[in-house]
Amino acid sequence: MKNLGILLSGRGSNFEVIARNVQAGRIPARIAIVIANREEAPGLARAREMGLKALCIPSRGKDRDAFDQELAGALRASEVDLVCLAGFMRVLGPTLIRDFPGRILNIHPALLPAFPGANAQKQALEYGVKFTGCTVHIVDEGVDTGPIVCQAVVPVLDEDAVETLSARILAEEHRIYTEAICLMLEDRIEIAGRRVRIRP
Ligand code: GRF
């Protein structure tokens, strides 16, 4: 059984769906550790309630390398095979990424490469696109730039505000993150340059 490590900074709804799907046997893995970089992250409290190993490694005031080394140490100690960023608001440095080559996933609330970075739903709304969505990608050393594993599209409606659009996107995030994790765990991902092919 492979070990998942979840990194989060906030609400943790993606984490919760992953945890429920693990419990239900829809994701063939166990959650070995949940790490938040903020003690106040609601997702951290939720992980503890669920009886998972969950800890806070504060990032505030630390330089990236020191923080990354702590993170990498905790992930290695829990023998993590696949790292899932689930609303994790810190950019990971090269040291950590090289420790888990091709084994870190992130979910982003836009159709990358459109609208990377923070407030992607607001960026999409203000730009005036008619469709947006979400992307699960492999983390590389850029911000939201790694090879794309899965995407889902949602329409932008005339009456949308950031909240309604975000909710429509979130429902798809919850669906495709599990899908991408399963593909990774089943070793069905083949990366050629930027392209990710899915083996049947
Ligand atoms: C999601 O919109 C995700 O795409 C982005 O951060 C948000 C996290 O939400 N990376 P949650 O904490 O999983 O509820």
Side-chain angles (χ1 to χ4, degrees), residues 69-162:
Q69 270 172 31
E70 269 188 74
L71 266 185
L75 293 168
R76 272 198 305 265
S78 291
E79 298 180 15
V80 165
D81 300 295
L82 178 65
V83 179
C84 302
L85 309 187
F88 187 64
M89 302 307 282
R90 280 277 291 214
V91 175
L92 298 175
T95 326
L96 182 58
I97 292 166
R98 279 174 211 152
D99 264 8
F100 291 89
R103 293 192 289 131
I104 309 177
L105 289 178
N106 182 42
I107 178 105
H108 182 74
L111 292 173
L112 291 171
F115 314 125
N119 304 314
Q121 303 95 330
K122 182 163 180 274
Q123 291 185 55
L125 205 56
E126 284 174 356
Y127 195 93
V129 291
K130 299 298 185 191
F131 292 91
T132 182
C134 50
T135 304
V136 179
H137 65 92
I138 292 167
V139 173
D140 66 7
E141 291 175 26
V143 175
D144 301 324
T145 51
I148 291 169
V149 180
C150 293
Q151 291 187 304
V153 179
V154 307
V156 180
L157 306 182
D158 289 349
E159 57 274 24
D160 266 337
V162 173

Side-chain angles (χ1 to χ4, degrees), residues 21 28 30 37 49 54 74 76 78 81 116 120 147-148 158 161 166 175 180 196 198:
N21 285 340
R30 51 186 284 270
N37 65 325
E49 279 165 26
R76 272 198 305 265
S78 291
D81 300 295
I148 291 169
D158 289 349
S166 300
R175 187 176 64 76
V196 172
I198 306 212

Side-chain angles (χ1 to χ4, degrees), residues 7 14 20 38 57 76 82 87 98 102 118 121 134 143 147-148 152 164 170 185 197:
L7 305 188
N14 277 286
R20 278 205 303 273
R38 300 168 52 236
I57 301 182
R76 272 198 305 265
L82 178 65
R98 279 174 211 152
Q121 303 95 330
C134 50
V143 175
I148 291 169
T164 53
L170 193 65
L185 292 171
R197 270 198 301 263

